[in-house]
Every structure is written in structure tokens, then in C-alpha cells.
């Protein structure tokens, strides 16, 4: 039994509240257990200088935590005057993951800025961010469709993320909370599409290692969890969910 | 009639949700119309180096906006690597205001960090921050009282803030929303105590000026609004409200 | 009696030396008691990017202290790599105040950079900066008039600033020196026009508060002082003083 | 056939020159094809503040490229005044990987600083850095053993890294050069121990995804390459290679 | 004839006003032609961490220009967030030069901070800074002698600096003004002691070179000028001048 | 006898390896005794904004040390977020020296970026950098000549640098190693052309001074050393050496 009474293959309760903030084109509050992240997708009608004139769009992400999202207060990165390595890793991961399921050729010369701001943290903030950001991005494209700014949903597939890991006693578990994460010998974040392909696998064994058979078990757990997460995303999106996949990305074009 | 159908002396609807984030000693979400700010008060068991060994505490505040709290997305201050002048002005104001109603000699060598994070902005974010931060700080001291870390509520009086201003056509109004604020010829932020004394007056006439009689009208409007805000703070605090004033600050000690 | 033998409503001796530095379009050394500030106004023939093409000008201010302008040496802000909150507040205030009496529509696409550098400090450096900067700006416009770069003095009224405050024993005083400022329970900076309108009121009661009747007394003191300061500015400006008010700002245009 | 005539499962030629720079405790130049990295391990007789007094050591890594290590000159990170997200990710990865095979309890309160400086880049700089850094660290511990500063080799197993990926036409390949890396649809860095356990898997499909069976093939290729790399490391280390594994890390202690 | 009617071996008029700012232990305004620099020497009763416990003192210098000290306004280094290479070179030079004539073993564990702030520039600001800073430092030590904080003047000899250069037409000149400096093919700053020894020679031929015989002529000019500058320093210092040389530095101790 | 058995007028062994890194247009590894510097010259087909449209080119230099190039590890300047004064001084010196022997009017609107990266330091890194950078720059221009991008070698003369100094016992020596440099009372860097003219003299007597006759002896030593260094540069450059001087710089044009 885990410290919060879940089975090894149980996700924590997930809720996704759409339109949480009024200004952004897409906005959700995602809660995964006690982890709460505001994911806002903002559409800007231009692309970074290095991409101008190609007729393509861009998606980029930023990630931050409120200072007291955690048990101990953290100094703001704006006060320190620089962004930590951890933050950079996470925001690069979120952006990369989202781009893997969006056909950037079909959104015009626009940038989608995705802001994931953690207001309460209890483990899994980066995977919750990806899961919530996906919904915010689809909502933002929904608004562009409504305004006839684009004419096809440019999102090719569902996208979600979760964590899996090996606890000290050797059990493999799904969706680690903060307590488990701080104890785990192996920690792996997995990003997958709705059709079950991998987008990103980041498995780390700090001061520990893991075998091929452990890897297999962990990926099986992730795959299971993903199906449930996709179901919740679909529910939140309602009608818009049906338009995902309208665009197919040609791998050779990538 | 104002653009949102209020009378000149009407506040927008205000709600204060206590215990909004689970980790901080004191936490509220304050909503003033469409302006929403998370105010977290974190207690740290030490003071800055320059204050050590004096047996006194300290209160300091930080303020930030989510990038898409506003109609146009703003670049994060952490990305820019520095804090804007506007942010600095606001966080210095919040800290100064809170310190005026707390007896720092009665909280031990502790620092109270107050974080005001605007998640949605529609004018008046700095005054909403002060009003909400006051409640968060009282909640935090309530926790210290419960833990017997302190034995008297060190808060000497209620504290709240609001804005008043002169619209282009010359009417004086209370609690400006973003639209009004961007039009106003004169903009004044007023911080007052529960007993009606001023803590801070910041009146500014960019590209305009104001007369002594206008000043008098504006301060009357502020005073009226303050009473209603104090009522809502009192309601949110419940029993703790009764302990405010338990400590009296000796002006000569200041 | 005050620590320097002044009456409560006495200003310190003020002298304004025009053309103090040879390169700037307008330059003065202002001395208010032992406070000495070099105020230089530099005219640049372009405006910031966000204002281009509107046919309007801009005025912006910077403020700094020499490291040993004060009793204890301060670390340079250039060495620290960032500007303090206090400096930002002051330079924003100076710029805002100057803009309130200049018709930016009548100076072409030019920026006036105002640099206030305190070489010796004894309280009231921000108000001395505003009072001196006003004269430097009029001198700079005088040079533009001479060169026929503009054809009307764009300054609509006189502008000056002073401080008022409440000393610990409760007396209200005008033009606080450093010793008084460090003791005062209430500190208020007032910026006014030659015709007696307010441009800015910043009243602060750190660890203290003030009543409406105290506010009234303080503003009366400020108003008195302002008349004397305007007289000295007028004297320094000589003939140019007569051209102030040649342009009238239409409040509706602001 | 690949652009440099290798088979899919061929590594590029690898040479590791020990004692390349004279000052560091451990120093190698590693060449993997045209990629050349200087890996220096410096031993400092103290640990970071947060670890003092625990009797344990620490290993940390930094990574940089000479500006013209690449085809186009890059601006120095010291000139930009900040470290890029890419650099941060890489140096965190190197440090984490090294710590997984060193028993930090057996090196005293010492920090090993590992500097990986790329002097010429042709793909795979992060994996070459890990492979070379491992040898530099063992050499540095060899010097401590010689000086009797420690009495057991604290390295528990061999450690090496390589990349695998999927080329646009779908073939899976080992050890991508720069040309291949810039084309690849899937890019995966794998860090493994001498006994075949995983330390880190980072698989990324930017604008593409990969299936479970592709993952299996890629990991098989990595596993093959690793054996050859370990052989070259062993050769470079000579006698010291025999002492690796003298210390066994207790997983429960991690 | 030079552009300001001087002969080749003429200095510009030099005046040194002692006690220019009231707070510093030593303060002068030095004017060399139209170049004006405030030189303040501040004594702090401690040394930097790396020197503690050695019973020795330290002298360090900082240099800056007001933004409009020059013909075109320069952006403040505090706004840019970093100090330029030129500024760093100059402040390192000033500090090094002063240390060459002060016996740091005889000033206790004190730091002398020398601030050279150029308020008006017309060439030769770094050499004027050295010449003025020397006087400010002697004044500061005079105050320490008065207070019995030290009992011997720790200054071993006079110190002054000037520039020499080669104009485009090939003539060698002393003490270049800004116009000459911007034209010169060779520019050399020379720092010398009262007894005619060199402390620093910095000769630079950007986009030009100079011969051994030109070097000889330039150094002769510098030597001549130095005698006149020492005379003015001596006059400014009055009685204190007589105490210079009271301490003799043992070269072997250096 | 010196600590490494050299005579006072002996250089350390010098080798220059051309084409050390494959990407840059010009690249050498220079070794002067145990000092090793990689000098890369990169040609970029544009100039900085302030030089555009003049038909001229620019040469600029950057200098850095690997953290463990020295006996004690140094913190990276990229980690500190700023470049030290020492680094700035050195890179400004290298750029200035190179520009003195290149006719910038004959290289088109191109920038040559020279990167000097010290991989092992034993004194004289700045002079080795200049000597090596000169060769790298000639190689880079050789490539432009080959590509017919330019049609004359724009380098007007040979350029090299060395150090001379006075050891504590008073002997004057050539080419100081690190041990000597740290002991020396006087330290002088001399940059000269192949025809024996001075480009730069930087003589410094920190906590010591030097006489005119010492200066003469030091410059004689430098002149001697320079001839040997030029011989080695000539040898490395082979045929390209013969083209140096093809362009003559008109001093009046400078």
C-alpha cells in the first residue's frame, strides 16, 4: 500500500477546469491530487525572428512555481535574476512535447505561448503541466477555428504525461506524489500520444540504476495511466476533442 | 454611469477565500471584480542579517503577475532577469503598509514573507493585494497563536486599500477597473486603518493635475469604501477578527 | 526649534547655479541646504521605439547618488549590476512630474533625458532633483527655441517639489533634512505647479499613521514653501521664465 | 550506408588520451570521431555548504563549448551573461550520471569538479563528455589513492554513454554524428554501467514519435556499443581499471 | 600650435579644490582644463575577506562618468547592468597606482575606497583621476593622523599621471585634450612618483605604431609635466605635503 | 640562473601547430613552455551595426581560460554571469594589437572574431595569445585569398608579443613563467611589429616602481626575443609569410 492508500497502478484524482483565467485564448486549471497548475495558452500573431517568412508557426512554453507552492518557500527566479536549470529543463520539455502533436505548417505565422504556473505542488508538476497545457492549446486553437483564423484543427493526436518510478523497497508505481518522488530510486517521466506512441522518455536513476525488465514494467504502468488521462482530457474538451486528428503530420515533412 | 454600471461610490464585488493554497501559514484568494490575487503569508524562523539579535521580527512582500493575467501577455520578469520599477514600487508599498499595523516587537525573530501573485488583472491589483495580504497575515499569526509560538495577536488594527480617481469628464470615482484606470486623469491609491487613519496616500496626475478640493472629494470616497472592505475582511477572519487590536503600538517606540 | 534652528515653516537656503556642466542642453547645480544635485537635461533627436511616428516627444529621468554622497559609502548600482527599488521609484517620479507640465505634442519627436546626480546628500534629494530638473529642462527648451528647433516654450507651468513631515513629538515641519527625515513618523513628498495644483502627493507613515487634520496641515506647509521655491526658480531662469505658460495643455488631450 | 560509410551498429573511432592537461588531478582528451572534449576532474577539499558535516563528498559537472567548436561561431555564454538551457541540461546530466557509480560516502568531505570543454564538435558531445569524464574521475581518485587520502577506489562500476536514433528513412543507428543528429526523427541518449544497467535514458521525438518496438531496437544498439566503449576506457585506465568495483554501493543507503 | 593655442609641452590649467564633498575622509575636485573629476577617499575599518587577519590594509578605486559628462550622452552602467571594459581598465589602473606609493602595512586593517566621478570630460579623465585621487588619499590619511588612528603618514612619495601622444602630423604633445586624443596616432598614459620613477606606462598605437626614439621623446615630455603637477598637489596639501615620505617602503617587502 | 635553468634573455620553447581545430577559417595551438592556447580566427560576413556601410572590416578578440588551466580551479565567467576586469583588459589588448597590422579597408565588410582559449597556463598567456592569434588571422586571410574573397593579403607586418620583468633580486628577464611573474616587482608586456616598432607597451610596478634605465634594459630584452618569435611564426606560415607586407597602411588614413 502506498502512503496515500493507492494501488501501484492508480492515478491520483484528476480534474481539469477549462477557461480558468479570462484573458488567454486557452486556459485551464489542472489538479492531479494536490498538485495544481494553471496552464494558459496565448496566441501571438507573429513568430520569432529566425522563423519569419516561412509561413509556419511556433509553440513555446514557460514554467514557474509560486514561491510557496511548496512546503518550504522558494526564492522567486525573478529575484535571483536567473532561471534555474530545473526550470529550463521543464519548459523545454513542455514545448517540445506540444510541438510533437501540432502541425506547425497549419497555424500561420503565429506563436503559441504556453505558461504553466504551479500554484500548489505535490509531485508530478511537469507531467501535470504537459497534460493541462495540451488541453489549453486545443482550446486556443478552438478559438482560432471559431474566428476562422485557421480552418482545420492543427492538433494531430492527444498528448499526455505521467510519471512512473521504483520505490526504495523495489515496487514499481504510477503517478508519484511528492513524498514518493523524494524517496524513489528511479524516476521516469513519460510523454505519450493518444495512439500509444512515445514522445519523450526521461528515466533517471540518481545514485541508483535500473534493469531492462524494470524499464519494461514501468513503461507498461505509464501506458495504462495514459488511457485514463486521455479520457479526462477528452471529456473536458467536449466537441473540440472530435476534431483532434483532423490534420495528419507527414513524418517526412518533420 | 460607469462602464460597468456602477455608481461613483460603488466598490466592485469583493470575495476573499481563506486557506486557498495548502502549504503557507496564511493564504487567501482575493477577488475584486475580475481582479484575482493569491496572497500567501509564509513564516520563516529568522530575520534578515541586519536585524539579528534585536528580538524583533520583519515583514516583507513580493508581488508578481502571471504573464497572461493581462489582456496582452507580458514577458516574465524571471526571463528578463530583472524586476521592473513598477513591481518594486508595489512590493515596497505592500510591505510598508503591512508593517504599519503589526507590532514587530511582538513576533519574535521571525520574517513574514507575503507573496501577492496576480492570476487575473482588471485594475486595482496593488490595492487588492494589500487588502488580501492583510487577511493572509492575520491567518498566519492565528496559526502562530495556535502553536503558542506567540501569545498575543500582534496586529494592532485593520488595514485595507482601494483606489480613487478622476475620470476624463471630471467625475470622481471609487475602485477603478482597468478601463477606467487607463482613462483616468488622476489616480490615487489610499491605504487606511480600521480606525480611519491614513497609512499611505499616493496621488498622481500624469499629464494632469488636481486641486485641493478634488483631493478632499477623493479622500471622502476612499473612506467610504474602506468601511465596506473592512466588513468583508472581518467576516472572512471570523473569530480571529476579534483579536485584532489586542496589541497597541506605542508611537514613541516606532 | 528644529535641530538646525529653523522654524517649522522654514525652507533651507536654496541656490540654483545654471550652466553647471558645459555639454548638456540644460544643466544646473541645485543646493538645498547641504543637499547638492547636478541636474542635466539632454535632448536627443528621436523617441523610444513605442512612440515613433506619432509626432510627439518624451521626457524620461534617471537618478543616482555618488557612492559617498552619504555619510556611509554606498556600493555603486553599476557594481551591483542592478538598480535599487528606491532609485526606480525616484526616477519614475521625476519623469512623471516633469511630463505633467510639458506639452509633449509641441517638442517634435525628441527625447529629453534628465539626469539627476546627487553629489552630496542631506535629505530631500528627490524633491531637490525635481525642483532643479525643472529649471534644467526649461534651459534646454530655451536652447531649442534659440535654434528655432521649436517655436513655443512647451512648458505650461512652473513645477517644484518639497517634503513635509511629522516629527516624533508631533510637530509638522517643512523641508526635512536628513536627521529629521530619519526620525519622522510621517514623511510626505509634494509636487505642485506654479498655479497651486497638485501633481503628486506621496504620504507615507511607516510604522505610524496620520489623520485627516494632520494631512491638511502638512499640505498647507507644502503650499507655503512652494511659493518661495518658485520665486528662486524664476530668478534663475531670468527672461525664459516669462515664456512659461505660452503653451496651454488641453486636459482632454492628455 | 551512413554518410560516413559506417554500418548502423558501428561506433566512430574513439581515443582517450590521459593526463592531457597538467594541473588537474584527472584529465583526459576524448575523441569520438571528430568530436573532441577535454575532461578535467579537480578535487577540492571541501563540500558545498548544504552538505558540510555529513562526512560525505560531492561530484558536480560543468560543460561548455569553445565558440568555434561548431561550424558557425557561437557567442560565449560568459558574454551573454547567462548559461543556456541546453548547457544546464547537459551539465546536470553529466553530474548525475557520475554520482550513480561513485560511493560518495567513501571520498571524505571533498568535491570533485568535472569540467567538460568541447574544443571541436561533431555530434554526441554530451555522451563523449560522460564517457571521458568517467575516466578523468577514476584518474583523480587514483591520485587520491596514491596519496593515501582515501584507501578504497570509491567507483562501483564502469560508466559510459552513447547516442542512438532513428534516421528519416526509418533506420535505427548507433552513435550519431552531427549530420545524422540534425536529420534524425528520434534522438536518444543512453547512459549505462559496465554491468549493463541503465543510469539514464533520454529519448526525444521532436516533431515525431516512436513506438515500443523501435525503443527496444534502439536500446539493443546502445547496449552493444557500450561494451566496446567500456573496453577502450579499461585500456586507458590500465591498472586502475582493476580497482573499479572495490566498493559496492548499498541501494538502501542511496 | 595646438587647437587650444598651447605649446607641445604645455599642460592645461590645473586646479585642485580640497574638501569638495563634506562626508568623505578625503575629497577633492580636480580640474584639468575642461576635465572635472570629483575624487573621494572613504576609509572603512575592515579589509576584504581574503586579507583579514594579516594586519594590512587595502586601497581600491572605482571610476565612473556622469551620463552627460561627454558631448553625447552615454547610457549609465547601472542601467546596462554591467561595467564596461574601459571602466574596469581605468579603475584597476587607479587602484594599482595608488597602492605603489602607500605602505599598506602601516594603515591597519582598513580599506580606502577611492571614487573618481567625472562630472565633465575633455580628455585625460583617467590621469586627472590619479592625480586628484592621490591628494584625496593623503587628505584621508591626514584625518586618520589627526584622530591618532595611525601615527605615521603611510604615503611614501608623490604620485601623479598625465598623458602624452603623437598627433597625426607627427608632433609629440603633452596632456592631450579630447579633440587631440581622438586624433592621436599614439596615446600614452604615464604614472610617475615625485622622485621621477615610473609606476605605470601604457602606450598604445591603435592602427599605428611608434619607434624607440618617439618613445624617448614622449617620456621626456611626461617627466617635465609631472614636476608642475607635483607642485600643484604640494600647494593643495599644505602642511600635509611635508609628511609624505615619512614612511619608506622596503622593496623586498613588496 | 632562473628557476627553470634559463638565461635571462632566453625564451621558453615555442611551438605553433596550425589547423588545430577543423571548423575555423584560421586555427592554431600555440605552446610557450607549459602555456598552451588555442587561437581560432572566425570570419563573419558582416560588421557590427556602428560600422555598416563604410566598406571596412573589423577585428575583435575574446579571451578565456578553462577553469583548470591553472593550478587552482577558477569559477567559470559564464557561471559568475560576468567577465572579469582582467579578461576584458586582455581581450581589448589582443584586438587592438591585431588591428594595428591589418588594413581594415582591404577586407570588405567582414568581422574577424579571434578566440584565444587557454587550456593550460604557466605565465604569459596574453602574450602567447597575441603571438598565436596573429598566425591564426593570417591563416584565415589565406583562406579568403584562396576563395578570391579578397585579392591582397591585408596584413601589413608581422606582430608578436612577449613579457619582460624585474625579479625581486633586481635582474631583468625575458618571457616570465608563472612562478617568476608572481614574484616580479615589475612586469611589462610588449607588442611589436616585425620591423621593430612598438604597438603596445604596458609596464606596471605594483607596489614597486622602475627607473628609466631599467625600462631601457627591459625593452632591449623584448626586442631580442621578438626576432626569435617572428622566425617561428614565419616557419609556421610557410608560403603565406611571403605575402605579409603586400599591403602598406597609410598612417594618415588611420
Amino acid at each position: 500500500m502506498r502512503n496515500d492508500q493507492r494501488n501501484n497502478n492508480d492515478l491520483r484524482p484528476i480534474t481539469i477546469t477549462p477557461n480558468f483565467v479570462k484573458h488567454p485564448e486557452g486556459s485551464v486549471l489542472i489538479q492531479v491530487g494536490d498538485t495544481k497548475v494553471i496552464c494558459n495558452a496565448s496566441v501571438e500573431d507573429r513568430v520569432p525572428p529566425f522563423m519569419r517568412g516561412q509561413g509556419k508557426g511556433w509553440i513555446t512554453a514557460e514554467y514557474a512555481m509560486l514561491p510557496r507552492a511548496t512546503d518550504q518557500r522558494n526564492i522567486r527566479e525573478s529575484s535571483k535574476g536567473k532561471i534555474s536549470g530545473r526550470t529550463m529543463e521543464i519548459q523545454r520539455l513542455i514545448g517540445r512535447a506540444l510541438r510533437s502533436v501540432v502541425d506547425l505548417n497549419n497555424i500561420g505565422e503565429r506563436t503559441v505561448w504556453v505558461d504553466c504556473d504551479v500554484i500548489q505542488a505535490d509531485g508530478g508538476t511537469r507531467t501535470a503541466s504537459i497534460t493541462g497545457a495540451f488541453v489549453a492549446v486545443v482550446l486556443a486553437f478552438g478559438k482560432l477555428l471559431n474566428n476562422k483564423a485557421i480552418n482545420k484543427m492543427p492538433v494531430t493526436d492527444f498528448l499526455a504525461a505521467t510519471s512512473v518510478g521504483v520505490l526504495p523497497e523495489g515496487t514499481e508505481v504510477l503517478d508519484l506524489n511528492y513524498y514518493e518522488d523524494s524517496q524513489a530510486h528511479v524516476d521516469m517521466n513519460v510523454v505519450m500520444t493518444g495512439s500509444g506512441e512515445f514522445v519523450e522518455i526521461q528515466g533517471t536513476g540518481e545514485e541508483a540504476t535500473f534493469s531492462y525488465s524494470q524499464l519494461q514494467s514501468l513503461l507498461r504502468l505509464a501506458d495504462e495511466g495514459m488511457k485514463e488521462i486521455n479520457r479526462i482530457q477528452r471529456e473536458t474538451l467536449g466537441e473540440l476533442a472530435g476534431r483532434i486528428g483532423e490534420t495528419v503530420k507527414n513524418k517526412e515533412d518533420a
Side-chain angles (χ1 to χ4, degrees), chain A residues 41-233:
Chain A
S42 299
V43 179
E44 189 187 25
D45 282 334
R46 55 174 185 176
V47 286
F50 69 91
M51 290 191 65
R52 291 196 189 134
Q54 302 176 31
K56 292 182 53 174
W58 186 241
I59 298 180
T60 188
E62 299 195 353
Y63 167 97
M65 279 198 181
L66 294 202
R68 195 62 193 281
T70 47
D71 190 44
Q72 300 294 311
R73 187 181 182 275
N74 294 300
I75 300 173
R76 278 173 202 273
E77 298 195 328
S78 58
S79 299
K80 285 193 272 188
K82 59 179 182 182
I83 294 173
S84 72
R86 177 184 176 276
T87 294
M88 285 215 192
E89 262 182 45
I90 294 175
Q91 56 196 25
R92 284 157 58 91
L93 168 64
I94 300 170
R96 214 159 53 216
L98 292 169
R99 288 191 297 270
S100 74
V101 292
V102 175
D103 187 354
L104 299 172
N105 295 302
N106 272 309
I107 66 171
E109 293 214 347
R110 290 187 179 85
T111 300
V112 182
W113 293 86
V114 177
D115 289 293
C116 297
D117 285 89
V118 179
I119 61 178
Q120 190 172 283
D122 186 30
T125 62
R126 84 185 67 188
T127 51
S129 293
I130 291 170
T131 299
F134 173 77
V135 178
V137 165
V138 175
L139 291 172
F141 286 130
K143 185 162 281 181
L144 292 186
L145 284 167
N146 266 356
N147 299 346
K148 317 266 187 232
I150 56 177
N151 52 32
K152 274 200 302 190
M153 171 59 73
V155 177
T156 59
D157 201 347
F158 274 80
L159 179 90
T162 194
S163 70
V164 285
V166 183
L167 298 187
E169 66 279 13
T171 50
E172 286 119 10
V173 295
L174 174 64
D175 187 21
L176 290 72
N177 61 30
Y178 178 72
Y179 173 80
E180 293 173 329
D181 192 56
S182 63
Q183 305 288 321
H185 279 191
V186 177
D187 180 25
M188 186 173 295
N189 294 299
V190 183
V191 187
M192 292 179 76
T193 63
S195 53
E197 294 250 305
F198 295 108
V199 169
E200 189 100 23
I201 299 175
Q202 294 195 336
T204 291
E206 176 144 354
E207 308 196 19
T209 58
F210 55 103
S211 67
Y212 189 72
S213 84
Q214 282 179 307
L215 172 65
Q216 288 175 310
S217 309
L218 291 170
L219 293 178
R220 244 186 325 262
L221 278 174
D223 189 56
E224 259 184 73
M226 219 59 84
K227 290 186 173 47
E228 170 63 4
I229 302 175
N230 287 163
R231 198 191 52 73
I232 295 161
Q233 290 177 317

